[in-house]
Amino acid sequence: MKQLIIILTFTALLLGCKKDLTNTVMRQGPAPVVTLSASPLTLSEASAKDTVETIQWNAADYGFSAAVGYTVEIAKAGTNFAAPKQVSNGSATILKYVGSNLNEAAISLGIAPGTTGQLDIRVRYSVSDSVFSYTDKKTLQLTTYVVSLPALLVQGGNGWTTPSARTNGYLLTSVNYDGKYEGYLNLPNADGWGGDAFKLISTTDGKSYGWGTSSTTMSAGGGNLWLTPSPAYMKVNADINALTINYTAVKFYISGDNNGWSTSSTPMTYDATSKTWVANNVSFTAGNAFVFTSNGSYDISYKVNNDGKLTYAGPPGWAGKNIPVSTTGTYKVTLDLSGGDGNYKYKIE
């Protein structure tokens, strides 16, 4: 009898608990809709500190009270968000951009300074790492403005005197604002120890970068860097995130229709005063084309892009088009790499 009472009581408790259970079922409502405050948009230095674009969307609905997180993804239009810029926005459903930040983001995503392009924008919304969705994309058309690219300025050590202000020929620039800097330095071996001593100073935060653990590594606040062989004109690449520095001594040549595309028969001469490479008395026939090559190969070479601007043409992309010459004549050809990556130029005169 006792056993029967216990069983009946337990059954009653189970039934009572069942009545109190509330089933929480996750259902996903319509995706939030993203709106942009302005498109097309022309950015300028005058509005660099102003809010120029507001990205907004309504809250996601999962059918119950949930802590939803939002991440705004921005990519160059047509790339299918292959490598987007991601901005974690917490639970907020609005993101405001000031002009300078949006200009920097657009340039880093591939819209060159002073040009018009399009960005695709979408929002990733989630309740966990494994439960997430995306809104439909919106496209923002905007025109960027030209700014002084972030740079690492050369500060010469010992006997090598360098300018105190930002000066072409003494800087590396970061064309994508990503901590990777490139430029060309003429190292005259003024120190006489088989190399020139210098440090790199960031224009962004004033940090100094010097010697790491070897000639290809850097450290913040380290001693002088030494690049060899010297004297030499160097292509220098520095990465302040990876704290690496790499360099290649180069000599430039003109390779084109005029010389059977030889990579050695038309050398250029470096002019330390103008900080340019020059070839005089170069004969071209109308319709000829040429490329700037170096060291007997195309590994470090320059052509032009669709806008006619000088662009790197070596591996891995092998980009660009041969540089055209429209009129028969004898020319002075100048290659100017002193302004750092993104500011390379040439002249035919």
Side-chain angles (χ1 to χ4, degrees):
M1 185 68 181
K2 237 178 181 184
Q3 190 174 8
L4 179 60
I5 293 171
I6 291 171
I7 292 171
L8 290 172
T9 303
F10 182 66
T11 302
L13 285 171
L14 281 176
L15 290 171
C17 289
K18 189 173 182 181
K19 289 178 183 177
D20 293 336
L21 287 175
T22 300
N23 289 329
T24 300
V25 178
M26 185 173 70
R27 63 173 177 78
Q28 193 162 321
V33 176
V34 177
T35 59
L36 305 177
S37 63
S39 180
L41 177 64
T42 299
L43 302 174
S44 68
E45 287 194 81
S47 59
K49 296 182 180 180
D50 300 333
T51 297
V52 295
E53 185 65 53
T54 300
I55 305 168
Q56 197 164 5
W57 57 95
N58 55 293
D61 180 11
Y62 282 98
F64 64 96
S65 180
V68 182
Y70 301 99
T71 299
V72 178
E73 293 191 347
I74 306 175
K76 190 174 182 180
T79 61
N80 199 29
F81 293 92
K85 178 179 177 62
Q86 297 179 315
V87 182
S88 179
N89 212 48
S91 60
T93 58
I94 186 171
L95 176 65
K96 296 183 178 182
Y97 262 103
V98 298
S100 60
N101 289 345
L102 186 55
N103 190 65
E104 181 177 319
I107 292 171
S108 70
L109 289 168
I111 300 176
T115 66
T116 299
Q118 293 183 326
L119 299 176
D120 286 339
I121 299 171
R122 69 181 182 184
V123 176
R124 181 184 189 270
Y125 55 102
S126 61
V127 290
S128 72
D129 290 339
S130 59
V131 180
F132 62 87
S133 298
Y134 294 97
T135 66
D136 289 338
K137 71 180 181 183
K138 290 289 184 178
T139 299
L140 169 63
Q141 179 172 308
L142 79 172
T143 300
T144 57
Y145 61 92
V146 178
V147 293
S148 295
L149 293 171
L152 295 176
L153 306 185
V154 176
Q155 182 184 75
N158 300 324
W160 188 29
T161 302
T162 51
S164 57
R166 180 174 180 142
T167 304
N168 281 3
Y170 298 94
L171 52 79
L172 313 177
T173 51
S174 179
V175 71
N176 292 319
Y177 296 79
D178 57 0
K180 296 179 181 179
Y181 294 78
E182 178 186 299
Y184 285 83
L185 304 179
N186 184 43
L187 305 179
N189 196 18
D191 296 313
W193 296 346
D196 282 300
F198 63 93
K199 294 181 181 181
L200 297 172
I201 312 300
S202 170
T203 58
T204 302
D205 56 16
K207 280 187 179 179
S208 169
Y209 294 90
W211 188 264
T213 58
S214 70
S215 62
T216 58
T217 61
M218 302 189 301
S219 65
N224 288 337
L225 290 157
W226 294 86
L227 300 189
T228 56
S230 277
Y233 184 86
M234 300 277 197
K235 179 180 185 290
V236 183
N237 292 86
D239 187 331
I240 62 173
N241 297 317
L243 292 176
T244 57
I245 184 166
N246 296 281
Y247 51 94
T248 305
V250 291
K251 293 182 179 179
F252 283 96
Y253 298 80
I254 292 173
S255 303
D257 291 312
N258 63 308
N259 60 12
W261 295 94
S262 168
T263 56
S264 61
S265 63
T266 309
M268 305 187 78
T269 302
Y270 184 69
D271 182 339
T273 302
S274 63
K275 301 179 181 64
T276 61
W277 287 87
V278 178
N280 290 302
N281 302 316
V282 182
S283 296
F284 289 114
T285 299
N288 280 177
F290 71 95
V291 178
F292 293 107
T293 58
S294 68
N295 300 350
S297 80
Y298 284 78
D299 286 350
I300 298 176
S301 58
Y302 291 90
K303 298 183 179 181
V304 291
N305 61 17
N306 291 332
D307 297 322
K309 295 181 179 179
L310 206 64
T311 187
Y312 178 71
W318 299 106
K321 300 178 178 180
N322 295 337
I323 303 167
V325 180
S326 59
T327 305
T328 298
T330 301
Y331 295 90
K332 174 183 177 182
V333 182
T334 304
L335 174 63
D336 184 355
L337 305 173
S338 65
D341 192 16
N343 296 311
Y344 299 151
K345 298 179 290 186
Y346 77 97
K347 285 193 300 185
I348 307 174
E349 55 188 344

